[in-house]
Amino acid sequence: QVQVVESGGGLVQAGGSLRLSCAASGRTRSVYAMGWFRQPPGKEREFVAAINWLGGTTYYADFVKGRFTISGDNAKHTVYLQMDSLKPEDAAVYYCAAGGPSATMYSGNYAYWGQGTQVTVSS
Protein backbone atom coordinates (compact mmCIF):
# COMPACT_ATOMS: atom_id res chain seq x y z
CA GLN A 1 0.00 0.00 0.00
CA VAL A 2 1.04 3.56 -0.69
CA GLN A 3 0.14 6.52 1.49
CA VAL A 4 -0.07 9.99 0.02
CA VAL A 5 -0.06 13.15 2.13
CA GLU A 6 -0.42 16.72 0.90
CA SER A 7 0.34 19.96 2.69
CA GLY A 8 0.68 23.66 2.01
CA GLY A 9 -2.84 24.84 1.30
CA GLY A 10 -4.24 28.00 2.76
CA LEU A 11 -5.70 31.43 2.09
CA VAL A 12 -4.02 33.79 -0.35
CA GLN A 13 -5.00 36.98 -2.12
CA ALA A 14 -5.53 37.00 -5.85
CA GLY A 15 -2.19 37.45 -7.58
CA GLY A 16 -0.35 35.74 -4.76
CA SER A 17 1.51 32.44 -4.56
CA LEU A 18 1.30 29.15 -2.69
CA ARG A 19 3.43 26.04 -2.77
CA LEU A 20 1.85 22.66 -2.21
CA SER A 21 3.89 19.66 -1.15
CA CYS A 22 3.13 15.98 -1.37
CA ALA A 23 4.92 12.86 -0.24
CA ALA A 24 4.25 9.22 -0.99
CA SER A 25 5.35 6.53 1.42
CA GLY A 26 4.99 2.81 1.89
CA ARG A 27 5.36 0.49 -1.10
CA THR A 28 6.60 3.21 -3.42
CA ARG A 29 8.38 0.89 -5.85
CA SER A 30 5.22 0.98 -7.95
CA VAL A 31 5.16 4.79 -8.07
CA TYR A 32 6.47 6.25 -11.31
CA ALA A 33 4.31 9.34 -11.52
CA MET A 34 2.66 11.83 -9.24
CA GLY A 35 0.06 14.38 -10.07
CA TRP A 36 -2.16 17.13 -8.78
CA PHE A 37 -5.89 17.34 -9.30
CA ARG A 38 -8.38 19.80 -7.87
CA GLN A 39 -12.06 19.99 -7.14
CA PRO A 40 -13.60 23.46 -7.08
CA PRO A 41 -16.78 23.95 -5.05
CA GLY A 42 -19.76 22.34 -6.78
CA LYS A 43 -17.66 21.00 -9.63
CA GLU A 44 -16.03 17.74 -10.59
CA ARG A 45 -12.41 16.93 -9.95
CA GLU A 46 -10.08 18.10 -12.70
CA PHE A 47 -6.49 17.56 -13.70
CA VAL A 48 -3.93 20.25 -12.83
CA ALA A 49 -0.40 18.95 -13.38
CA ALA A 50 1.60 15.75 -13.29
CA ILE A 51 5.12 14.46 -13.56
CA ASN A 52 6.08 11.05 -14.89
CA TRP A 53 9.61 10.15 -13.92
CA LEU A 54 9.79 7.11 -16.16
CA GLY A 55 9.19 9.19 -19.26
CA GLY A 56 10.76 12.36 -17.88
CA THR A 57 7.61 14.26 -18.81
CA THR A 58 5.51 16.93 -17.15
CA TYR A 59 1.89 17.63 -17.99
CA TYR A 60 -0.19 20.73 -17.35
CA ALA A 61 -3.79 21.68 -17.77
CA ASP A 62 -4.16 24.59 -20.17
CA PHE A 63 -5.63 26.83 -17.50
CA VAL A 64 -2.47 26.67 -15.35
CA LYS A 65 0.24 26.84 -18.00
CA GLY A 66 2.61 29.67 -17.27
CA ARG A 67 1.33 30.07 -13.71
CA PHE A 68 1.87 26.70 -11.99
CA THR A 69 5.03 24.61 -11.94
CA ILE A 70 5.29 21.00 -10.88
CA SER A 71 8.56 19.58 -9.65
CA GLY A 72 9.64 16.64 -7.59
CA ASP A 73 12.18 14.16 -6.40
CA ASN A 74 11.80 10.65 -7.77
CA ALA A 75 14.07 9.11 -5.17
CA LYS A 76 12.08 10.62 -2.31
CA HIS A 77 8.68 10.26 -4.01
CA THR A 78 7.85 13.86 -3.33
CA VAL A 79 6.22 16.37 -5.60
CA TYR A 80 5.59 20.09 -5.34
CA LEU A 81 3.18 22.45 -7.02
CA GLN A 82 4.30 26.05 -7.15
CA MET A 83 1.25 28.17 -7.83
CA ASP A 84 1.80 31.78 -8.88
CA SER A 85 -0.56 34.50 -10.08
CA LEU A 86 -3.43 32.79 -8.33
CA LYS A 87 -6.95 33.64 -9.37
CA PRO A 88 -10.21 33.27 -7.43
CA GLU A 89 -11.19 30.48 -9.80
CA ASP A 90 -8.17 28.48 -8.61
CA ALA A 91 -9.86 28.01 -5.25
CA ALA A 92 -10.44 24.31 -4.71
CA VAL A 93 -9.46 21.27 -2.73
CA TYR A 94 -6.19 20.13 -4.25
CA TYR A 95 -5.46 16.41 -4.29
CA CYS A 96 -2.14 14.69 -4.81
CA ALA A 97 -2.06 11.27 -6.42
CA ALA A 98 0.52 8.60 -7.10
CA GLY A 99 0.47 6.27 -10.06
CA GLY A 100 2.30 3.71 -12.13
CA PRO A 101 4.45 3.98 -15.25
CA SER A 102 1.63 4.91 -17.62
CA ALA A 103 0.12 7.65 -15.46
CA THR A 104 -0.34 10.98 -17.21
CA MET A 105 -3.29 13.39 -17.04
CA TYR A 106 -6.10 10.99 -16.29
CA SER A 107 -7.32 10.38 -12.79
CA GLY A 108 -7.94 6.72 -13.59
CA ASN A 109 -4.19 6.26 -13.99
CA TYR A 110 -3.64 7.00 -10.32
CA ALA A 111 -4.25 4.34 -7.71
CA TYR A 112 -3.31 6.26 -4.60
CA TRP A 113 -4.76 9.55 -3.42
CA GLY A 114 -4.25 11.96 -0.58
CA GLN A 115 -6.99 13.52 1.51
CA GLY A 116 -6.69 16.91 -0.14
CA THR A 117 -5.65 20.37 0.96
CA GLN A 118 -7.83 23.46 0.70
CA VAL A 119 -6.70 26.44 -1.33
CA THR A 120 -8.73 29.62 -0.97
CA VAL A 121 -8.09 32.69 -3.12
CA SER A 122 -9.64 35.98 -2.09
CA SER A 123 -10.40 38.64 -4.68
Side-chain angles (χ1 to χ4, degrees):
Q1 192 73 333
V2 175
Q3 295 78 43
V4 177
V5 179
E6 314 96 332
S7 62
L11 172 64
V12 64
Q13 287 189 330
S17 299
L18 275 178
R19 186 181 191 229
L20 304 183
S21 301
C22 176
S25 61
R27 297 191 175 191
T28 55
R29 284 189 175 185
S30 62
V31 175
Y32 290 86
M34 295 182 73
W36 291 96
F37 294 76
R38 71 185 188 186
Q39 187 165 15
K43 297 184 179 180
E44 294 189 351
R45 186 155 28 184
E46 59 188 5
F47 169 75
V48 177
I51 184 167
N52 185 305
W53 288 297
L54 187 63
T57 306
T58 56
Y59 305 87
Y60 291 96
D62 287 343
F63 54 76
V64 302
K65 285 181 180 177
R67 299 190 299 123
F68 292 10
T69 304
I70 189 169
S71 61
D73 186 329
N74 184 14
K76 296 181 180 179
H77 296 97
T78 57
V79 66
Y80 308 97
L81 186 67
Q82 177 66 40
M83 304 187 294
D84 298 319
S85 302
L86 282 161
K87 304 175 182 180
E89 52 264 42
D90 292 319
V93 177
Y94 282 72
Y95 295 91
C96 180
S102 61
T104 56
M105 300 177 289
Y106 306 102
S107 60
N109 293 159
Y110 294 85
Y112 307 103
W113 292 79
Q115 293 298 308
T117 185
Q118 178 71 51
V119 172
T120 303
V121 184
S122 62
S123 57

